[in-house]
Structure formats: structure tokens, C-alpha cells
């Protein structure tokens, strides 16, 4: 590297992190898309000249797969404070954890910069004296260089008798063009700057450790939030920056934001139960029955297929559903129609149980896992939020269409308040299954009623309900949350449901595990 007479390289870097032009293009694109980055740059830049370079360095350190710090001797002296800050971040224990989430992801790297914004402001303020000394040293170096160039020009021009000491100059004062004096002043300023930076370094390094740890937590929590809501890494990569930022803000501040971990556990549990489930499992053999399931035909029936004269008999019995089959006791086969979750959102559902989990949060988490269940099985899903008889909201998620995260969030975050009525949501659910049967000839839907209350139903409504249930072949599963109900209590909920379970501990998800094996 070519140097100047003062021993300084011709081109010193303002960037502490070594990066190629593609990385810098990524930074510029991200900066242009992020209002938060622009606001932070404006705020810091109003007080610190090197703030823009610092934000670039912090972003590139987080974004580069293998970030590399430039040697201090290659840095512009006025950017050595930035170098010290970035060095502290890279060497901090929390940076490795942060980098696992941000490497190669411009959005996550930008989020890391924003999460460290307050700490960067504090580090720049704490190193203000060191920065001022560095700027003084740079001015002194420039003065020394100017003096050396002027002295060389004077020597080349020869003596000028008209030159004399400046009028008014103090006796013994160094001439304005004395290179030696200027070099000594520059060296003194450089030493002062180095001492000031060394004094600021411990505070900068400590703040950097705390900043990287906070940023790692923020990035990790957002990633977990996205996963809990079923937003995959591939979907995030394709999502425009501002949309991703708005989505993250909505997830952080939404009604169920604090229960993201519960939602994630519910979805994981449901996925595990789906993996265990075997449709039409044979289970334990308990005898012989009649039917048309060729997978359970007894050997003597199959032997008839070997005799030409009996093949027609076999065909006739198969058509009539009168083949002799092994009968078994096992898991009930899953449904084929829509899965409908009727979720109580009356005032009492806002009550928190042990662990601080509200009945609403547990119910919504269960309903979202049922939505996943329907998507995996290629079945329609309907979410019905209900409270009083006149308060009802229906969210439809057809199997052949993308669920849409915004609509999913609308379903999860809506809350009606008021009292409780079973008839309104169940009537609507039955009507939807009737429509599905008439339009697509699909029966055997599943309704899950999640509530914490007990309410009456009329005899006339009950007769119509039972008729529809028999005609359409659907099942009703009941989940009583936060209010235990003993079997045989004679409650309306128990009378209506084919299967009823009570959930007392709202911090656990296993109480609903069997739902995902049979639905």
C-alpha cells in the first residue's frame, strides 16, 4: 500500500467489516426498504459523523456468513471508534447465537441492528471523547502533511529574502511551516487519541456484550413467533421486507402474542399425533361381522374366489355388503367432511387459569392445531367464534385455497364477549355440513365445541340436531376448558357430545391429544 510523507496509507477504510459489493448492495437495498433503519441512521447521524458507517458495519457483521474484521492500521483514524464497537460485538459470547439467526437473512440482520440501536447510541456517547481526540489527531496529521509539502516547495524555490517572521508572532514561536513542529504535534495528538480510545474500550466492550445478547434474544423470539404461527423459513424469504416487518409487529402486539409458545406446542403435539395415527386400524380382533371391506375378509371367503362357480356368489355378497369380515376394536376412523371448531368467546373465557394461561388462549391454540389437521388431511376447515345467541363470526378455510396468514390471525385475535349459547354455533355448523353434503356429497364431518360454560337447549332444537347428525354422519367432540365435568353428570354438553373431555391444566396440551388421532 503506497504511503504519504506522514507515513499514512493513501486510502484508509471507513468500513470495519470487509465486504464485497454484493453485500453492500444488499445493505443499500435493505436500508431503502426499512423505515426503522433510516430513522435510526438519521437520529445517530445528527450527533455522530461516523454513524452511517457504523450501522453498515453492524449489519454486515450480522449478515455475512463469515464476517471478517479489518485490521485497525487499515482504518481511517476517525473510524477507529466504530472499529472498536464492531470488534466488541464480534467477540461477545452472544454474537455466535445471534449470527446463527441472521447470517444470509437481510431482514434478520436489519432487525439485529435495530435491536442494538439504543446500545449503539450509548456506545457512541461513551466514546465521544475518544472520537473527538481522533478527529483532532486527523487534523494535526493533515497539518503536518501540509507543512511538509510547503517546506518541500520552499526548498525547491530557493531562499526568499523577503520572507521573514510573521508580524505579531510571539518570540520563539514555531514557524507556521515548520514540518518538525507539525509532526511532533501530530504525534502528540495521535497518542492522546490512542489513550482516549483505550480508556473507552472496556465500556464499549461491555456494552457490546450486552447489546449482542439482547439482539440475539429479540431475533430468536421473533423466529420462534413465526414458527409458532406456522410461517416457514421459505415463506419468510419470499416475503417483502415491509410486509414481514408488519407481520412481525402484528404477531408481537396481537391478542395472543404472549401465548405463541403454547400455540407452537399445540401444533407440535398435533403433528406428533398425526404421525401415530393409522386410519382404519385393525386393533384387537373381537369376532366376525359382515361388510364390504376387502382388507378384513376372512380366509374362507377368499377361498371362494378360487372356485369359478362361487365367484359370482362372492361378487353378489360383496355388492350387498354381506362378506364375512374380521371384527376389531381399534381407533375410530377419521372423518371425510369439514372440520369445524366452535370456540366460545364469552366473557368468562378471558379468565386465566394456573400458569396465567387464559381459557381463550388454550382454545384458540387448539383451534389453530385443528386448522393444521384439516390442511394436512385435505379437508375444509371452519372456525366459528360464538358467545350470545346473536354473536357469531364464521371464518372459512377451504381445502383447495391457501389459508392466508392474515385471515388466520383475524380468526385467532377476534373476541366477541357476552354470554353463551350452544344452539347458534351448532346450528350454523350443522348447516355448513349440510351444504357440503349437498354440494360435494361429503359426509362424516367433525365438529369440536370448545367452551367453559353450560347452557340449555330446547327439545325441538335437540330433535332437529339429532336428525341432522344421523343423516349427515358427523361427530361432535366436546372440550370443557377450565371447568371440570365428571362423567355421568348429566350436563347438556355431555348429552350433546359423542366424546367429551375436561381440561383443567391450561398449561398442558396433552389433554387434547386424542382429538388429533381420531379427527
Amino acid at each position: 500500500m503506497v504511503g504519504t510523507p506522514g507515513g499514512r496509507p493513501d486510502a484508509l477504510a471507513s468500513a470495519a467489516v470487509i465486504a464485497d459489493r454484493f453485500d453492500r448492495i444488499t445493505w443499500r437495498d435493505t436500508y431503502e426498504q426499512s423505515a426503522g433503519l433510516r430513522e435510526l441512521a438519521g437520529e445517530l447521524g445528527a450527533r455522530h459523523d461516523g454513524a452511517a458507517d457504523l450501522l453498515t458495519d453492524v449489519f454486515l457483521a450480522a449478515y455475512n456468513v463469515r464476517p471478517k474484521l479489518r485490521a485497525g492500521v487499515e482504518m481511517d483514524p476517525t473510524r477507529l471508534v466504530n472499529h472498536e464497537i464492531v470488534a466488541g460485538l464480534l467477540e461477545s459470547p452472544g454474537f455466535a447465537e445471534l449470527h446463527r439467526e441472521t447470517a444470509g437473512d437481510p431482514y434478520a440482520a436489519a432487525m439485529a441492528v435495530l435491536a442494538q440501536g439504543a446500545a449503539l447510541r450509548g456506545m457512541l456517547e461513551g466514546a465521544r471523547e475518544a472520537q473527538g481526540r481522533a478527529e483532532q489527531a486527523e487534523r494535526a496529521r493533515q497539518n503536518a502533511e501540509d507543512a511538509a509539502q510547503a517546506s518541500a516547495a520552499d526548498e525547491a524555490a530557493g531562499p526568499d529574502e523577503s520572507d521573514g517572521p510573521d508580524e505579531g508572532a510571539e518570540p520563539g514561536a514555531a514557524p507556521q511551516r515548520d514540518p518538525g513542529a507539525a509532526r511532533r504535534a501530530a504525534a502528540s495528538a495521535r497518542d492522546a487519541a490512542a489513550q482516549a480510545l483505550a480508556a473507552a474500550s472496556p465500556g464499549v466492550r461491555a456494552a457490546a456484550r450486552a447489546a449482542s445478547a439482547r439482539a440475539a434474544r429479540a431475533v430468536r423470539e421473533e423466529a420462534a413467533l413465526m414458527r409458532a404461527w406456522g410461517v416457514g423459513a421459505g415463506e419468510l424469504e419470499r416475503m417483502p421486507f415491509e410486509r414481514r416487518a408488519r407481520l412481525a409487529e402484528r404477531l408481537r402486539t396481537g391478542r395472543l402474542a404472549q401465548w405463541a409458545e403454547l400455540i407452537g406446542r399445540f401444533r407440535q403435539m398435533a403433528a406428533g399425533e398425526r404421525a401415530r395415527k393409522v386410519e382404519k386400524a385393525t386393533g384387537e380382533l373381537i369376532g366376525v361381522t359382515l361388510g364390504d371391506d376387502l382388507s378384513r375378509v376372512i380366509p374362507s371367503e377368499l377361498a371362494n374366489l378360487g372356485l369359478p362357480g362361487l365367484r359370482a356368489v362372492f361378487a353378489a355378497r360383496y355388492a350387498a355388503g354381506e362378506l364375512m369380515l374380521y371384527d376389531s376394536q381399534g381407533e375410530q376412523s377419521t372423518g371425510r367432511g369439514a372440520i369445524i371448531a366452535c370456540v366460545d368467546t364469552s366473557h368468562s373465557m378471558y379468565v386465566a387459569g394456573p400458569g396465567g394461561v387464559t381459557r381463550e388462549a388454550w382454545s384458540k391454540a387448539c383451534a389453530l392445531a385443528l386448522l393444521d389437521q384439516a390442511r394436512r388431511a385435505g379437508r375444509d376447515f371452519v372456525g366459528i367464534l360464538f358467545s350470545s345467541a346473536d354473536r357469531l363470526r364464521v371464518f372459512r378455510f377451504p381445502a383447495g385455497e391457501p389459508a392466508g396468514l392474515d385471515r388466520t390471525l383475524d380468526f385467532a385475535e377476534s373476541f366477541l364477549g357476552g354470554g353463551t349459547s350452544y344452539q347458534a354455533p351448532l346450528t350454523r355448523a350443522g348447516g355448513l355440513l349440510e351444504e357440503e353434503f349437498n354440494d360435494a356429497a361429503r359426509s362424516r364431518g367433525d365438529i369440536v365445541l370448545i367452551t367453559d360454560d353450560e347452557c340449555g337447549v330446547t327439545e325441538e332444537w335437540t330433535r332437529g340436531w339429532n336428525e341432522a347428525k344421523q343423516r349427515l354422519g358427523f361427530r361432535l367432540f366436546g372440550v370443557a376448558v377450565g371447568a371440570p365435568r365428571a362423567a355421568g353428570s348429566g350436563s347438556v354438553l355431555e348429552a350433546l357430545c359423542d366424546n367429551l373431555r375436561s381440561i383443567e391444566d391450561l398449561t398442558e396440551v396433552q389433554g387434547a391429544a386424542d382429538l388429533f388421532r381420531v379427527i
Side-chain angles (χ1 to χ4, degrees), residues 317-337:
R317 295 181 65 183
Y318 173 69
E322 294 179 350
L323 293 175
M324 288 189 291
L325 313 175
Y326 285 120
D327 197 7
S328 62
Q329 180 175 309
E331 295 282 2
Q332 187 177 3
S333 60
T334 59
R336 296 173 181 168

Side-chain angles (χ1 to χ4, degrees), residues 426-427 429-434 437 443-445 447 460-475:
L426 292 179
T427 298
L432 291 171
L433 293 178
E434 181 98 42
F437 179 76
S443 59
R444 290 174 53 203
I447 302 172
E460 182 181 358
W461 179 88
T462 303
R463 283 194 298 271
W465 171 257
N466 290 334
E467 290 171 2
K469 190 176 176 184
Q470 184 175 7
R471 183 173 66 258
L472 301 173
F474 63 77
R475 300 174 294 183

Side-chain angles (χ1 to χ4, degrees), residues 223-281:
L225 196 61
M226 293 292 185
R227 286 193 295 269
W229 284 96
V231 185
E235 184 179 356
L236 288 176
E237 289 175 3
R238 296 188 299 271
M239 194 176 294
F241 187 95
E242 281 303 322
R243 168 159 168 69
R244 185 170 171 180
R246 288 194 300 271
L247 172 61
E249 179 65 17
R250 182 174 183 183
L251 293 181
R252 279 194 298 269
T253 59
R255 187 178 184 87
L256 300 180
Q258 61 180 316
W259 310 122
E261 189 269 342
L262 175 68
I263 294 169
R265 283 196 293 121
F266 240 112
R267 286 179 144 156
Q268 290 174 0
M269 177 274 290
E273 294 302 322
R274 281 195 296 274
R276 291 177 52 194
K277 179 175 65 176
V278 179
E279 294 189 17
K280 298 183 179 179

